[in-house]
Amino acid sequence: MNTLRDKSRELMNHRLSFFFLAVVMFWIKTYAAYRIEFNLGIENGIQKFLLFFNPLSSAVFFLGFALFFKGKLQNAAIIVINFLLSFLLFANITYYRFFNDFITLPVLTQAKNNAGVGDSAMALMKPWDVLYFTDTIILLLLVLFKVVKPKAKLAVRSRILVFASALLIFSVNLGLAEADRPELLTRTFDRNYLVKYLGAYNYTVYDLVQNARSSAQRALADSNDVVEAENYIKANHTPANPKYFGKAKGMNVIYVSLESFQNFVIDYKINGQEVTPFLNSLAHDNQTFYFDNFFHQTGQGKTSDAEFMMENSLFPLPQGSVFTNKAQNTYQSAPAILKDHGYTSAVFHGNYKTFWNRDEMYKSMGYDKFFDATYYDMNDQDTLNYGLKDKPFFKESMPMLKELKQPFYTKFISLSNHFPFPLDEGDTEFPAGDFGDGVVNHYFQTAHYMDEALQQFFADLKESGLYDNTVIVMYGDHYGISENHNAAMSKVMGKDITPFENAQLQRVPLFIHVPGVKGGQIHKYGGEVDVRPTLMHLLGVDTKDFMTFGSDLLSDQHRDLVPFRNGDFVSSKAYQINGTCYSNPDGEKVDAQQCKQLDDVAKKELELSDSIVYGDLLRFYTPPGFTPVDRSKYDYTNREPKNQQ
């Protein structure tokens, strides 16, 4: 026994033994996390091998920096680097459990948007998550119990050999990845692909490079860069439908963002009770347009991405949020466009102005007023999760809304129907679902609570006299139930949630109520970028000279292609999901060539939109009759809060 112990100690005291142990344990742990936590769509033998192989180059490369130290510092550096890499892995695991996505540098730098996310983060953690730090703990114990002795600094030649090995491993990895998916680093819009082929840590390096490139893109841009996008947009402009153009001219506008609200809830019942009876009534009357094939197109910015698309008809960014990363840009947003037509604009939001950097972004969008949490009674009873509950939010907003100069363009951002969908006792008597998943079960309760708040809001609008002269646009901003809850969702929907069925669940409702205009249910396929041209045409504003990637939903020439931020798309004829082509509506897998033309269009538009946002190209292009926004004229000065929490 003593001989075995001595042999073990002798082995551990080899110059690189501690380093290699750290590499191997971290490699195995990462691969296990890939298989357990992430759904990366592994389809063939090369992808299976790369999933196993890709953590190795990262482990050798990053842990190799510890070899620049000697003695105790070298061992300490190995432990610290291992911990930091483990923390990054765990952060991605937690983030993926809700968003089915991977963290990017802009997300990491959006720390101020994390106010109020404590409940969400805790709901995503599992008791066994400590196992993702097991290797760090083992390494620490080996040092503390002096199983590992301090080492001399490694010779320069040996260090070079370690890093050369890491680069060789990565080159083999990249070569195999490019063979299986050509132009992986230049054409993909999907982080899942990058992680599947290159690994989470190499993806982080790639993300750092991409962000550095995007920062340089604005500095290097000039007026010639906007020409390609301008020509493409003008060539593909969708004209208005004469039947509806100008039907709402001069009317007020109210947008309502329906937090995390997916379309499957419409007409759904729990124990025989309608979850959203008020919204159901709007979906079936003939006074409101209800679009039942409308999809969210958000990226990592979620609610802020939805706002950006709805009011700019541009796509969100592939990493992070426009609101956070490009708030200083020049835009041609709806509030600024309508200012030239005599409109006053305002936003109502039951959270503080800095959340999602709104106080900066709204200046660039041309909003006159921003009623944030400082204008509301933020007492403990009326606040939960991300801010003010919906019922007191809408109720307290009415006096401020009535004081606005008309015509006005306004936006209300609801909050209660947000993951993990908590409510206080007494907020609703509506029953929870019984689908074996607490998140899914409570989603129906918060959705019902929001529906009641909306019914109250409509009643208040009618009582105030505003209803008869106001266009009301209500939209689901993004999904509320992620793919990680597909087991429960299969019970909700009564069928297996395949990739095709999951794409169906990305539908969110869009309601447009125009006083005096007959509505009804519309089955055209559309997305959030399509709303600005639709609304502008209703208000009698032609969009042909504006940078618009959307298509008027009420036009007879509406284009029914809906690109997603990852490069996939849906349309009335075909879906592309995770690179696989499906026919619509039967959901049968078909040859990729049937999606090729639509795929090219979707990717072209994403690329052109990205060039506009990253290069801040709208500073070089001013449509006739449009007054560019002067940010210096806007100041959303905080008031003293009515009631501190």
Short mmCIF file of all heavy atoms in Angstrom, two decimals, residues 72-119:
data_model
loop_
_atom_site.label_atom_id
_atom_site.label_comp_id
_atom_site.label_asym_id
_atom_site.label_seq_id
_atom_site.Cartn_x
_atom_site.Cartn_y
_atom_site.Cartn_z
N LYS A 72 4.93 27.37 -6.26
CA LYS A 72 3.54 27.39 -5.79
C LYS A 72 2.65 28.22 -6.71
O LYS A 72 1.46 27.94 -6.86
CB LYS A 72 3.48 27.93 -4.37
CG LYS A 72 4.14 27.03 -3.33
CD LYS A 72 4.03 27.63 -1.94
CE LYS A 72 4.68 26.73 -0.91
NZ LYS A 72 4.60 27.31 0.47
N LEU A 73 3.22 29.27 -7.30
CA LEU A 73 2.43 30.13 -8.18
C LEU A 73 1.92 29.37 -9.40
O LEU A 73 0.82 29.61 -9.89
CB LEU A 73 3.25 31.34 -8.62
CG LEU A 73 3.44 32.45 -7.58
CD1 LEU A 73 4.30 33.56 -8.15
CD2 LEU A 73 2.08 33.01 -7.14
N GLN A 74 2.74 28.42 -9.90
CA GLN A 74 2.31 27.64 -11.06
C GLN A 74 1.09 26.79 -10.72
O GLN A 74 0.11 26.75 -11.48
CB GLN A 74 3.45 26.75 -11.55
CG GLN A 74 3.09 25.97 -12.80
CD GLN A 74 4.22 25.06 -13.25
OE1 GLN A 74 4.08 23.83 -13.25
NE2 GLN A 74 5.34 25.66 -13.63
N ASN A 75 1.16 26.11 -9.58
CA ASN A 75 0.01 25.29 -9.15
C ASN A 75 -1.22 26.16 -8.90
O ASN A 75 -2.34 25.79 -9.26
CB ASN A 75 0.37 24.49 -7.90
CG ASN A 75 1.42 23.43 -8.18
OD1 ASN A 75 1.62 23.02 -9.31
ND2 ASN A 75 2.10 22.99 -7.13
N ALA A 76 -0.99 27.31 -8.25
CA ALA A 76 -2.11 28.21 -7.97
C ALA A 76 -2.73 28.72 -9.27
O ALA A 76 -3.95 28.82 -9.41
CB ALA A 76 -1.65 29.38 -7.11
N ALA A 77 -1.88 29.03 -10.25
CA ALA A 77 -2.37 29.53 -11.54
C ALA A 77 -3.21 28.48 -12.26
O ALA A 77 -4.24 28.79 -12.87
CB ALA A 77 -1.21 29.98 -12.41
N ILE A 78 -2.78 27.21 -12.19
CA ILE A 78 -3.56 26.13 -12.81
C ILE A 78 -4.94 26.05 -12.18
O ILE A 78 -5.96 25.92 -12.88
CB ILE A 78 -2.81 24.79 -12.68
CG1 ILE A 78 -1.61 24.76 -13.62
CG2 ILE A 78 -3.75 23.61 -12.99
CD1 ILE A 78 -0.73 23.53 -13.48
N ILE A 79 -5.00 26.17 -10.85
CA ILE A 79 -6.29 26.08 -10.15
C ILE A 79 -7.17 27.27 -10.51
O ILE A 79 -8.37 27.12 -10.78
CB ILE A 79 -6.06 26.01 -8.63
CG1 ILE A 79 -5.36 24.70 -8.27
CG2 ILE A 79 -7.38 26.14 -7.87
CD1 ILE A 79 -4.89 24.62 -6.83
N VAL A 80 -6.59 28.47 -10.52
CA VAL A 80 -7.37 29.68 -10.82
C VAL A 80 -7.91 29.65 -12.25
O VAL A 80 -9.09 29.93 -12.50
CB VAL A 80 -6.52 30.95 -10.59
CG1 VAL A 80 -7.24 32.18 -11.14
CG2 VAL A 80 -6.23 31.13 -9.11
N ILE A 81 -7.05 29.28 -13.21
CA ILE A 81 -7.49 29.21 -14.61
C ILE A 81 -8.57 28.14 -14.77
O ILE A 81 -9.57 28.34 -15.47
CB ILE A 81 -6.30 28.94 -15.54
CG1 ILE A 81 -5.35 30.14 -15.54
CG2 ILE A 81 -6.78 28.66 -16.97
CD1 ILE A 81 -4.04 29.89 -16.25
N ASN A 82 -8.37 27.01 -14.12
CA ASN A 82 -9.37 25.95 -14.17
C ASN A 82 -10.71 26.44 -13.62
O ASN A 82 -11.77 26.17 -14.19
CB ASN A 82 -8.89 24.73 -13.38
CG ASN A 82 -9.91 23.61 -13.34
OD1 ASN A 82 -10.83 23.63 -12.53
ND2 ASN A 82 -9.74 22.63 -14.20
N PHE A 83 -10.65 27.17 -12.51
CA PHE A 83 -11.89 27.69 -11.91
C PHE A 83 -12.58 28.68 -12.85
O PHE A 83 -13.80 28.64 -13.03
CB PHE A 83 -11.60 28.36 -10.58
CG PHE A 83 -12.80 29.07 -10.00
CD1 PHE A 83 -13.82 28.36 -9.39
CD2 PHE A 83 -12.92 30.45 -10.10
CE1 PHE A 83 -14.95 29.00 -8.89
CE2 PHE A 83 -14.03 31.11 -9.60
CZ PHE A 83 -15.05 30.38 -8.99
N LEU A 84 -11.81 29.59 -13.45
CA LEU A 84 -12.40 30.58 -14.33
C LEU A 84 -13.05 29.93 -15.55
O LEU A 84 -14.15 30.30 -15.97
CB LEU A 84 -11.34 31.59 -14.77
CG LEU A 84 -10.79 32.50 -13.67
CD1 LEU A 84 -9.66 33.37 -14.21
CD2 LEU A 84 -11.89 33.37 -13.06
N LEU A 85 -12.37 28.94 -16.12
CA LEU A 85 -12.95 28.22 -17.26
C LEU A 85 -14.20 27.45 -16.83
O LEU A 85 -15.19 27.37 -17.57
CB LEU A 85 -11.93 27.26 -17.86
CG LEU A 85 -10.74 27.91 -18.58
CD1 LEU A 85 -9.72 26.84 -18.96
CD2 LEU A 85 -11.20 28.67 -19.82
N SER A 86 -14.15 26.87 -15.63
CA SER A 86 -15.31 26.13 -15.11
C SER A 86 -16.48 27.08 -14.87
O SER A 86 -17.64 26.73 -15.13
CB SER A 86 -14.95 25.43 -13.80
OG SER A 86 -13.92 24.49 -14.00
N PHE A 87 -16.17 28.28 -14.39
CA PHE A 87 -17.23 29.25 -14.15
C PHE A 87 -17.87 29.69 -15.47
O PHE A 87 -19.10 29.84 -15.55
CB PHE A 87 -16.68 30.47 -13.41
CG PHE A 87 -17.74 31.47 -13.03
CD1 PHE A 87 -18.52 31.27 -11.91
CD2 PHE A 87 -17.97 32.58 -13.81
CE1 PHE A 87 -19.51 32.18 -11.56
CE2 PHE A 87 -18.96 33.50 -13.48
CZ PHE A 87 -19.73 33.29 -12.35
N LEU A 88 -17.04 29.87 -16.51
CA LEU A 88 -17.58 30.21 -17.82
C LEU A 88 -18.48 29.10 -18.34
O LEU A 88 -19.56 29.36 -18.89
CB LEU A 88 -16.44 30.47 -18.80
CG LEU A 88 -16.84 30.76 -20.25
CD1 LEU A 88 -17.71 32.02 -20.35
CD2 LEU A 88 -15.60 30.91 -21.14
N LEU A 89 -18.04 27.85 -18.16
CA LEU A 89 -18.85 26.70 -18.58
C LEU A 89 -20.18 26.70 -17.83
O LEU A 89 -21.25 26.53 -18.43
CB LEU A 89 -18.10 25.40 -18.33
CG LEU A 89 -18.87 24.11 -18.60
CD1 LEU A 89 -19.20 23.98 -20.08
CD2 LEU A 89 -18.07 22.89 -18.12
N PHE A 90 -20.13 26.90 -16.52
CA PHE A 90 -21.35 26.88 -15.71
C PHE A 90 -22.28 28.04 -16.07
O PHE A 90 -23.50 27.88 -16.11
CB PHE A 90 -21.00 26.92 -14.23
CG PHE A 90 -22.20 26.92 -13.33
CD1 PHE A 90 -23.07 25.83 -13.31
CD2 PHE A 90 -22.49 28.00 -12.52
CE1 PHE A 90 -24.19 25.82 -12.49
CE2 PHE A 90 -23.61 28.01 -11.71
CZ PHE A 90 -24.45 26.91 -11.69
N ALA A 91 -21.69 29.21 -16.34
CA ALA A 91 -22.51 30.36 -16.76
C ALA A 91 -23.24 30.04 -18.06
O ALA A 91 -24.42 30.35 -18.22
CB ALA A 91 -21.63 31.59 -16.93
N ASN A 92 -22.55 29.39 -19.00
CA ASN A 92 -23.19 28.99 -20.25
C ASN A 92 -24.28 27.96 -20.02
O ASN A 92 -25.33 28.00 -20.66
CB ASN A 92 -22.14 28.42 -21.22
CG ASN A 92 -21.55 29.48 -22.12
OD1 ASN A 92 -22.29 30.22 -22.77
ND2 ASN A 92 -20.24 29.57 -22.15
N ILE A 93 -24.04 27.03 -19.09
CA ILE A 93 -25.04 26.01 -18.78
C ILE A 93 -26.31 26.67 -18.23
O ILE A 93 -27.43 26.38 -18.68
CB ILE A 93 -24.48 25.00 -17.76
CG1 ILE A 93 -23.43 24.10 -18.43
CG2 ILE A 93 -25.59 24.15 -17.15
CD1 ILE A 93 -22.63 23.25 -17.46
N THR A 94 -26.14 27.56 -17.28
CA THR A 94 -27.29 28.24 -16.67
C THR A 94 -28.04 29.08 -17.70
O THR A 94 -29.27 29.07 -17.77
CB THR A 94 -26.83 29.13 -15.50
OG1 THR A 94 -26.06 28.34 -14.59
CG2 THR A 94 -28.01 29.71 -14.76
N TYR A 95 -27.29 29.82 -18.51
CA TYR A 95 -27.89 30.66 -19.55
C TYR A 95 -28.64 29.80 -20.57
O TYR A 95 -29.75 30.14 -20.99
CB TYR A 95 -26.78 31.46 -20.23
CG TYR A 95 -27.24 32.54 -21.16
CD1 TYR A 95 -27.67 33.77 -20.68
CD2 TYR A 95 -27.23 32.36 -22.54
CE1 TYR A 95 -28.09 34.77 -21.54
CE2 TYR A 95 -27.63 33.35 -23.41
CZ TYR A 95 -28.06 34.56 -22.90
OH TYR A 95 -28.48 35.55 -23.75
N TYR A 96 -28.04 28.68 -20.93
CA TYR A 96 -28.64 27.81 -21.95
C TYR A 96 -29.93 27.17 -21.46
O TYR A 96 -30.84 26.90 -22.25
CB TYR A 96 -27.64 26.72 -22.33
CG TYR A 96 -28.02 25.93 -23.57
CD1 TYR A 96 -27.61 26.34 -24.82
CD2 TYR A 96 -28.79 24.77 -23.48
CE1 TYR A 96 -27.96 25.63 -25.97
CE2 TYR A 96 -29.14 24.05 -24.62
CZ TYR A 96 -28.72 24.49 -25.85
OH TYR A 96 -29.07 23.79 -26.98
N ARG A 97 -30.03 26.92 -20.16
CA ARG A 97 -31.22 26.27 -19.62
C ARG A 97 -32.48 27.07 -19.88
O ARG A 97 -33.58 26.51 -19.96
CB ARG A 97 -31.05 26.02 -18.11
CG ARG A 97 -30.14 24.86 -17.80
CD ARG A 97 -29.86 24.74 -16.31
NE ARG A 97 -28.96 23.62 -16.04
CZ ARG A 97 -28.36 23.41 -14.89
NH1 ARG A 97 -28.54 24.26 -13.88
NH2 ARG A 97 -27.56 22.37 -14.73
N PHE A 98 -32.34 28.38 -20.03
CA PHE A 98 -33.53 29.16 -20.36
C PHE A 98 -33.54 29.62 -21.81
O PHE A 98 -34.54 29.50 -22.52
CB PHE A 98 -33.66 30.38 -19.46
CG PHE A 98 -34.89 31.19 -19.78
CD1 PHE A 98 -36.15 30.69 -19.49
CD2 PHE A 98 -34.80 32.42 -20.40
CE1 PHE A 98 -37.30 31.42 -19.81
CE2 PHE A 98 -35.94 33.15 -20.73
CZ PHE A 98 -37.18 32.64 -20.43
N PHE A 99 -32.39 30.12 -22.28
CA PHE A 99 -32.37 30.77 -23.59
C PHE A 99 -32.01 29.83 -24.74
O PHE A 99 -32.09 30.23 -25.91
CB PHE A 99 -31.38 31.94 -23.59
CG PHE A 99 -31.78 33.06 -22.67
CD1 PHE A 99 -31.09 33.30 -21.49
CD2 PHE A 99 -32.84 33.88 -22.99
CE1 PHE A 99 -31.45 34.33 -20.65
CE2 PHE A 99 -33.21 34.93 -22.16
CZ PHE A 99 -32.52 35.14 -20.98
N ASN A 100 -31.59 28.62 -24.44
CA ASN A 100 -31.11 27.72 -25.49
C ASN A 100 -30.07 28.42 -26.36
O ASN A 100 -30.10 28.35 -27.59
CB ASN A 100 -32.26 27.20 -26.36
CG ASN A 100 -32.96 26.04 -25.71
OD1 ASN A 100 -33.94 26.24 -25.00
ND2 ASN A 100 -32.46 24.85 -25.91
N ASP A 101 -29.16 29.09 -25.72
CA ASP A 101 -28.17 29.89 -26.42
C ASP A 101 -26.93 30.00 -25.53
O ASP A 101 -26.95 29.59 -24.36
CB ASP A 101 -28.74 31.28 -26.71
CG ASP A 101 -28.01 31.99 -27.84
OD1 ASP A 101 -27.00 31.46 -28.31
OD2 ASP A 101 -28.46 33.09 -28.23
N PHE A 102 -25.87 30.57 -26.08
CA PHE A 102 -24.61 30.69 -25.36
C PHE A 102 -24.28 32.14 -25.10
O PHE A 102 -24.61 33.03 -25.89
CB PHE A 102 -23.48 30.00 -26.14
CG PHE A 102 -23.69 28.52 -26.28
CD1 PHE A 102 -24.35 28.00 -27.39
CD2 PHE A 102 -23.29 27.65 -25.29
CE1 PHE A 102 -24.57 26.64 -27.52
CE2 PHE A 102 -23.51 26.28 -25.40
CZ PHE A 102 -24.16 25.77 -26.51
N ILE A 103 -23.61 32.39 -24.00
CA ILE A 103 -23.28 33.74 -23.59
C ILE A 103 -22.26 34.35 -24.54
O ILE A 103 -21.34 33.68 -25.00
CB ILE A 103 -22.72 33.74 -22.15
CG1 ILE A 103 -23.82 33.37 -21.16
CG2 ILE A 103 -22.12 35.08 -21.79
CD1 ILE A 103 -23.34 33.24 -19.74
N THR A 104 -22.46 35.62 -24.83
CA THR A 104 -21.49 36.36 -25.64
C THR A 104 -20.90 37.48 -24.79
O THR A 104 -21.40 37.80 -23.71
CB THR A 104 -22.17 36.98 -26.88
OG1 THR A 104 -23.16 37.93 -26.43
CG2 THR A 104 -22.85 35.91 -27.72
N LEU A 105 -19.84 38.09 -25.30
CA LEU A 105 -19.20 39.18 -24.56
C LEU A 105 -20.18 40.31 -24.26
O LEU A 105 -20.22 40.82 -23.14
CB LEU A 105 -17.99 39.71 -25.35
CG LEU A 105 -17.26 40.89 -24.70
CD1 LEU A 105 -16.64 40.48 -23.37
CD2 LEU A 105 -16.18 41.43 -25.65
N PRO A 106 -21.01 40.76 -25.23
CA PRO A 106 -21.97 41.81 -24.90
C PRO A 106 -22.92 41.42 -23.78
O PRO A 106 -23.31 42.26 -22.98
CB PRO A 106 -22.72 42.02 -26.22
CG PRO A 106 -21.75 41.61 -27.27
CD PRO A 106 -21.00 40.45 -26.68
N VAL A 107 -23.31 40.14 -23.72
CA VAL A 107 -24.19 39.71 -22.63
C VAL A 107 -23.47 39.82 -21.29
O VAL A 107 -24.04 40.26 -20.29
CB VAL A 107 -24.67 38.26 -22.87
CG1 VAL A 107 -25.35 37.71 -21.62
CG2 VAL A 107 -25.63 38.21 -24.05
N LEU A 108 -22.19 39.43 -21.27
CA LEU A 108 -21.42 39.52 -20.03
C LEU A 108 -21.25 40.95 -19.57
O LEU A 108 -21.17 41.23 -18.37
CB LEU A 108 -20.04 38.88 -20.23
CG LEU A 108 -20.00 37.36 -20.34
CD1 LEU A 108 -18.60 36.89 -20.71
CD2 LEU A 108 -20.44 36.70 -19.04
N THR A 109 -21.17 41.88 -20.53
CA THR A 109 -20.96 43.28 -20.16
C THR A 109 -22.26 44.01 -19.84
O THR A 109 -22.24 45.18 -19.47
CB THR A 109 -20.25 44.03 -21.30
OG1 THR A 109 -21.03 43.94 -22.50
CG2 THR A 109 -18.87 43.43 -21.56
N GLN A 110 -23.39 43.32 -19.97
CA GLN A 110 -24.68 43.94 -19.68
C GLN A 110 -25.08 43.70 -18.23
O GLN A 110 -26.21 43.35 -17.92
CB GLN A 110 -25.75 43.38 -20.63
CG GLN A 110 -25.57 43.91 -22.05
CD GLN A 110 -26.26 43.05 -23.09
OE1 GLN A 110 -26.04 43.20 -24.27
NE2 GLN A 110 -27.10 42.13 -22.67
N ALA A 111 -24.14 43.88 -17.33
CA ALA A 111 -24.38 43.56 -15.92
C ALA A 111 -25.53 44.36 -15.33
O ALA A 111 -26.29 43.87 -14.50
CB ALA A 111 -23.11 43.80 -15.10
N LYS A 112 -25.69 45.60 -15.80
CA LYS A 112 -26.74 46.43 -15.20
C LYS A 112 -28.13 45.94 -15.57
O LYS A 112 -29.12 46.34 -14.95
CB LYS A 112 -26.57 47.89 -15.60
CG LYS A 112 -26.70 48.17 -17.09
CD LYS A 112 -26.41 49.64 -17.34
CE LYS A 112 -26.46 49.97 -18.82
NZ LYS A 112 -26.15 51.39 -19.06
N ASN A 113 -28.23 45.08 -16.56
CA ASN A 113 -29.53 44.50 -16.91
C ASN A 113 -29.87 43.33 -16.02
O ASN A 113 -30.93 42.73 -16.16
CB ASN A 113 -29.53 44.04 -18.37
CG ASN A 113 -29.44 45.20 -19.32
OD1 ASN A 113 -29.95 46.27 -19.04
ND2 ASN A 113 -28.77 45.01 -20.43
N ASN A 114 -28.97 42.97 -15.10
CA ASN A 114 -29.22 41.81 -14.25
C ASN A 114 -29.98 42.15 -12.98
O ASN A 114 -30.25 41.28 -12.17
CB ASN A 114 -27.88 41.13 -13.88
CG ASN A 114 -27.23 40.50 -15.09
OD1 ASN A 114 -27.90 40.12 -16.03
ND2 ASN A 114 -25.90 40.41 -15.07
N ALA A 115 -30.30 43.43 -12.80
CA ALA A 115 -31.10 43.79 -11.64
C ALA A 115 -32.45 43.09 -11.73
O ALA A 115 -33.15 43.17 -12.70
CB ALA A 115 -31.30 45.30 -11.59
N GLY A 116 -32.78 42.36 -10.69
CA GLY A 116 -34.07 41.69 -10.66
C GLY A 116 -34.06 40.29 -11.22
O GLY A 116 -35.10 39.65 -11.27
N VAL A 117 -32.88 39.78 -11.66
CA VAL A 117 -32.86 38.45 -12.25
C VAL A 117 -32.53 37.37 -11.24
O VAL A 117 -32.38 36.21 -11.61
CB VAL A 117 -31.86 38.38 -13.43
CG1 VAL A 117 -32.19 39.41 -14.47
CG2 VAL A 117 -30.42 38.56 -12.95
N GLY A 118 -32.41 37.73 -9.97
CA GLY A 118 -32.03 36.75 -8.96
C GLY A 118 -32.94 35.54 -8.94
O GLY A 118 -32.47 34.39 -8.91
N ASP A 119 -34.24 35.75 -8.94
CA ASP A 119 -35.19 34.63 -8.92
C ASP A 119 -35.05 33.77 -10.16
O ASP A 119 -35.13 32.54 -10.09
CB ASP A 119 -36.63 35.17 -8.83
CG ASP A 119 -36.93 35.78 -7.47
OD1 ASP A 119 -36.16 35.52 -6.53
OD2 ASP A 119 -37.92 36.53 -7.37
#
